[in-house]
Amino acid sequence: MTLTRTEVRDLLDRFDLRPKRSLGQNFVVEPNTVRRIAELSGVGPGDRVVEVGPGMGALTLALLETGAEVTAVEIDDRLVEVLDEVVGGRFGHLGAFRLVHADAMAADWGELLGEGPWTLVANLPYNVSVPLVCDLLDEVPAITRMVVMVQLEVADRFVAGPGEDAYGLPSVKVAYHAEARKVGRVPPSVFLPRPRVDSALVEVVRRPEPAVDADPGALFEVVRAGFAHRRKMLRGALRGLVDEEGLAAAGVDPTARAEELGLDQWAAVARQAGGVRG
Ligand code: SAM
């Protein structure tokens, strides 16, 4: 049970809604796609799922159908009304569905979720997908797994390793907290309205402990500075944070560039940081 293209169109008409680009509103209107996401998420009876951006409820219905409990966080009050009817109407009486009207970027996640484990399953709004995944990894340990649909280019950034074009701060952040892999590709044709780009599904599994032993504040300060000038040599890009001696002590060539460093090397550089601040 989920929403077909015709049902989504009818709901948009009946509630007099036009999808908002500013909120990344590209709704999935192909039942097989939401079923595939629900299946890939591997959730079932008794599991707790948090969905960011339920939209008209297509994926929400597929997730509830697995027997999981779903907490859905939606920013658009017009859609809250639709969801109350579409999802609340079918699943509300089971107590398995909780709808929260909030901005996921500003929500009090500790209060919302309490203890883990939670799985995030979402077709993420394109405009917040990178900061949201990074912030949830940093700040919400109760979310132990994510299966998210994002733009293909964003998926590449999440899973990229050193030397790849897409490698950057989000790649290092994801690798620090989790293991991530692309688990599928999704064409524009399954959405209403159709986006211009392909999408991809990414699975992110939180590690029991971060991948390297480094102070996260120092680590991400150097990674951020390094990638802020990705074409500069590290000795220039990290000026004021780590000097050439520090880079050498970390076993890193001062003429290397940010895109060449793996997580272990970033951690080694972070351990040297701080010594040159005046
Ligand atoms: N899950 C639905 C689907 O697959 O058809 C809709 C996905 S649509 C790509 C993104 C959804 O995220 C929209 O419903 C949009 O209103 C919502 N959204 C955008 N920004 C948000 C935010 N900061 N917090 C919560 N929801 C947000």
Side-chain angles (χ1 to χ4, degrees):
M1 183 202 321
T2 180
L3 298 176
T4 63
R5 187 177 295 268
T6 314
E7 285 171 314
V8 172
R9 276 193 204 286
D10 285 352
L11 284 165
L12 288 170
D13 273 357
R14 192 151 56 79
F15 284 84
D16 197 18
L17 294 174
R18 219 171 277 181
K20 276 194 189 165
R21 226 189 135 128
S22 60
L23 293 178
Q25 291 179 349
N26 298 95
F27 303 113
V28 176
V29 291
E30 162 57 49
N32 285 335
T33 302
V34 289
R35 285 200 195 105
R36 184 169 148 226
I37 301 174
E39 237 174 73
L40 280 169
S41 76
V43 300
D47 290 332
R48 293 183 301 169
V49 173
V50 55
E51 184 188 8
V52 169
M56 317 285 284
L59 177 59
T60 323
L61 289 171
L63 290 166
L64 284 162
E65 219 174 15
T66 68
E69 292 172 25
V70 178
T71 290
V73 180
E74 174 58 59
I75 196 171
D76 188 343
D77 49 357
R78 308 171 312 156
L79 296 179
V80 168
E81 216 187 317
V82 179
L83 288 158
D84 263 335
E85 177 185 311
V86 173
V87 187
R90 297 187 209 179
F91 283 91
H93 64 289
L94 299 175
F97 174 58
R98 175 168 58 142
L99 179 56
V100 180
H101 179 207
D103 176 354
M105 292 299 296
D108 183 341
W109 287 102
E111 166 96 24
L112 262 183
L113 303 186
E115 294 281 303
W118 286 84
T119 303
L120 171 76
V121 187
N123 169 17
L124 289 178
Y126 75 96
N127 46 334
V128 297
S129 53
V130 173
L132 183 68
V133 166
C134 289
D135 287 359
L136 294 178
L137 283 171
D138 275 341
E139 292 158 23
V140 191
I143 299 178
T144 54
R145 265 187 82 225
M146 306 181 181
V147 173
V148 289
M149 180 144 77
V150 292
Q151 288 178 55
L152 181 60
E153 162 263 326
V154 168
D156 288 337
R157 288 166 73 191
F158 285 153
V159 304
E164 292 177 45
D165 285 348
Y167 186 57
L169 175 64
S171 329
V172 181
K173 180 137 285 185
V174 169
Y176 174 74
H177 288 291
E179 283 188 274
R181 62 191 182 109
K182 270 195 280 183
V183 290
R185 203 164 157 153
V186 181
S189 54
V190 307
F191 298 94
L192 182 78
R194 258 174 104 114
R196 279 193 218 103
V197 292
D198 275 3
S199 300
L201 291 158
V202 184
E203 180 191 49
V204 179
V205 181
R206 186 183 288 279
R207 303 173 189 279
E209 296 294 331
V212 291
D213 181 20
D215 170 66
L219 174 63
F220 289 107
E221 188 176 16
V222 291
V223 176
R224 189 169 290 108
F227 282 108
H229 307 281
R230 57 188 299 145
R231 271 181 221 99
K232 266 197 191 171
M233 293 177 193
L234 286 171
R235 68 176 173 217
L238 300 184
R239 186 161 293 142
L241 291 172
V242 191
D243 58 17
E244 285 205 35
E245 269 174 29
L247 287 170
V252 169
D253 178 352
T255 66
R257 291 173 170 77
E259 62 208 17
E260 296 167 44
L261 264 55
L263 189 53
D264 286 332
Q265 288 170 299
W266 282 117
V269 172
R271 284 184 215 112
Q272 300 294 324
V276 293
R277 269 177 230 149

